[in-house]
Amino acid sequence: MKMPCKLTLLMFLATLTSYCNALPLSTHKRWIIDEATGKRVKLTCAHWVAHVKPMVAEGLDKLPLNDIVKQFPQRGFNCVRLSYATYMFTRYANVSVAETFRGLDIPQTVAAIEKHNPWVMNMTHLQAYEAVVDALDKQGVMMLIDNHVSMPKWCCDRQDQNGFFNDRHFQPREWLQALAFVAHHFKPKRHVVAMDLRNELRGSRESSKDWYKYVSQGARTIHQHNPKLLVVISGLNFDKDFTFLKNKPLHLNFTNKIVYEAHLYSFTGDQGRWSLQPVNRVCASILDSAQNLWGFLMSGSNPAPMFVSEFGYDMSGGNDADNKFMACFKSYLAAVDMDWSLWSFGGSYYYRQGNVGADESYAVLNHDWTDFRDPNFSHKFQLLQTLVQDPASKLSKSRILFHPLSGNCTHVNSNKELVFGDCKNHVRWSSEGDGAPIRMMDSPLCLKATGEGLPPTLSKDCLSPQSSWRFVSVTGLHLATKGKNGDLLCLDADSDSSKLVTRKCICVDDDDSACLDNPQSQWFQLLTTNV
């Protein structure tokens, strides 16, 4: 049903107002919420690098600062994970940006910065960082201030002496000094809503004993200097292991401000199996591992918020492992309606690991910071950038039929056939579980398969075997029914990805260990929503 323009405008303004007033943030069980109203606030962030050797937020050589900042909400992000290096504020805060760039000897980059942002060269590093914070604050973009490293450099490896407490470049006393300074200094900035303690704890000194000791000190330091902030806490082993919390929880007296964070990429751990093993099995293994290592924190008798503060993919499109990983991980993010931050926003670096003007293929923006690197990004991420679940909602629950590979949701055309479309005005469904019909909400019609290669239709024949649907395969992402000849048929994207059809299921049998076909066009989810 098409809404009147006036009603649509009122709804938009109401949504915008709720975002503007949704501060400070707090937590309730596994959710991040507006402290005043209890309504959920979903963080959909992108990382803005400012922690490497130049110690200035990237991109000022490409566009004026305000032109960069405006792009975050324009591209669907409501927050920024803005990184810094400890030494930026304990050793180099009053060093001028010009002096640092002279030491790097990259005059062409300096000239480009002076063209677009001439003011920055005369600033200290603290002033330049604060200018970025001010610009984001004025734009209404929420910020997570991220302590990425101590010594300004590209991150990370196990031997960099920058990864765990008491490493050469990670002395707890100086680290706490920086946390206190940042928490206090940026306290007046309303949209600074969170600080993380440290990015990707790692290295030979790793121990859960020291983790409890120093994480407690760091969290209390931030809370003491700015009790409004969320405190975001990393696990062990490059921010992917919280299993030690299963036996010994972290005890703090301000738990309504604690959020845990995790990282995951296609290359994390032993996940280089995407091209060697059946995709269903690799995806299921990765999601099971994530649930065991950190996802468990969102459930149980004392659930806590989990924030995926880094994940991403090669947005040039040529990385097969990344493409398969993202469809898999998007299914997880959508299923639990996760808060997240994508690596990364900006498409280039002033100076990275000896390379001047280095490109960032994992960036949302192209090298010039002017457009999407992946032209389909908005479509792929439209549902992930949308609030799907709200613990404070009084609305009844319904289902969204979601296709993780494309990012599409389902619509119904004039012939009562299922087609793909955006996730803003999708059809809402109901289902009582595996083996039950999938019904269109407030309608007697249900989804019915019509045959191999044909679109499923809406029908009143909800007792037919072709109207009974269940999830199959180890991923639980294949939505299948029986064809008229008894074959197992799965929902699938048509060749042009505009329509849905049913086809023979790909690689769903337990003994399909040699099946190397890619089944991701057949991955679907019935997501629960109450908003």
Side-chain angles (χ1 to χ4, degrees), residues 21 43 189 254 259 272 292 357 379 387 394 419 429 483 499-500:
N21 293 330
L43 300 181
K189 314 302 180 184
F254 49 94
V259 176
N292 177 60
H379 211 73
L387 183 72
K394 305 297 184 183
V419 294
W429 306 93
K499 289 185 177 181
L500 285 74

Side-chain angles (χ1 to χ4, degrees), residues 110-220:
V110 170
I113 294 174
E114 290 177 334
K115 173 185 175 182
H116 295 293
N117 296 281
W119 46 269
V120 75
M121 283 296 166
N122 295 322
M123 288 184 163
T124 65
H125 286 290
L126 173 57
Q127 290 170 335
Y129 194 90
E130 187 163 13
V132 172
V133 170
D134 283 339
L136 289 164
D137 195 54
K138 289 176 183 177
Q139 190 67 27
V141 179
M142 293 181 287
M143 284 164 274
L144 162 63
I145 306 296
D146 161 48
N147 180 220
H148 212 73
V149 288
S150 290
M151 181 173 67
K153 62 173 294 185
W154 185 251
C155 179
C156 303
D157 65 65
R158 291 187 184 278
Q159 289 77 41
D160 61 8
Q161 286 296 304
N162 218 346
F164 202 71
F165 307 105
N166 292 305
D167 277 356
R168 178 183 174 191
H169 293 294
F170 193 174
Q171 293 301 307
R173 183 175 179 180
E174 188 170 5
W175 169 69
L176 292 170
Q177 178 187 348
L179 292 181
F181 175 80
V182 172
H184 177 76
H185 189 80
F186 294 108
K187 189 174 181 178
K189 314 302 180 184
R190 183 169 180 264
H191 289 90
V192 174
V193 297
M195 284 177 59
D196 77 359
L197 295 182
R198 184 66 167 212
N199 173 72
E200 294 195 353
L201 294 170
R202 63 196 179 276
S204 60
R205 288 186 171 84
E206 271 192 305
S207 74
S208 59
K209 180 181 178 181
D210 281 347
W211 184 92
Y212 286 103
K213 175 182 177 181
Y214 293 115
V215 160
S216 297
Q217 290 180 11
R220 291 189 182 103

Side-chain angles (χ1 to χ4, degrees), residues 292-337:
N292 177 60
L293 292 171
W294 47 264
F296 70 92
L297 286 167
M298 294 183 287
S299 59
S301 60
N302 190 27
M306 173 57 66
F307 174 60
V308 179
S309 58
E310 273 191 39
F311 72 107
Y313 67 106
D314 183 343
M315 297 202 192
S316 63
N319 188 315
D320 184 59
D322 276 358
N323 295 337
K324 291 174 180 175
F325 163 76
M326 278 306 301
C328 172
F329 194 46
K330 278 167 61 183
S331 73
Y332 182 84
L333 295 174
V336 296
D337 200 22

Side-chain angles (χ1 to χ4, degrees), residues 327-376:
C328 172
F329 194 46
K330 278 167 61 183
S331 73
Y332 182 84
L333 295 174
V336 296
D337 200 22
M338 184 80 82
D339 299 89
W340 51 266
S341 181
L342 190 70
W343 185 280
S344 175
F345 191 69
S348 65
Y349 299 94
Y350 308 125
Y351 182 86
R352 170 180 155 177
Q353 295 175 295
N355 297 311
V356 180
D359 190 55
E360 175 56 270
S361 64
Y362 277 61
V364 173
L365 300 181
N366 59 18
H367 191 83
D368 294 328
W369 294 58
T370 55
D371 203 354
F372 286 115
R373 185 174 293 255
D374 177 355
N376 296 315

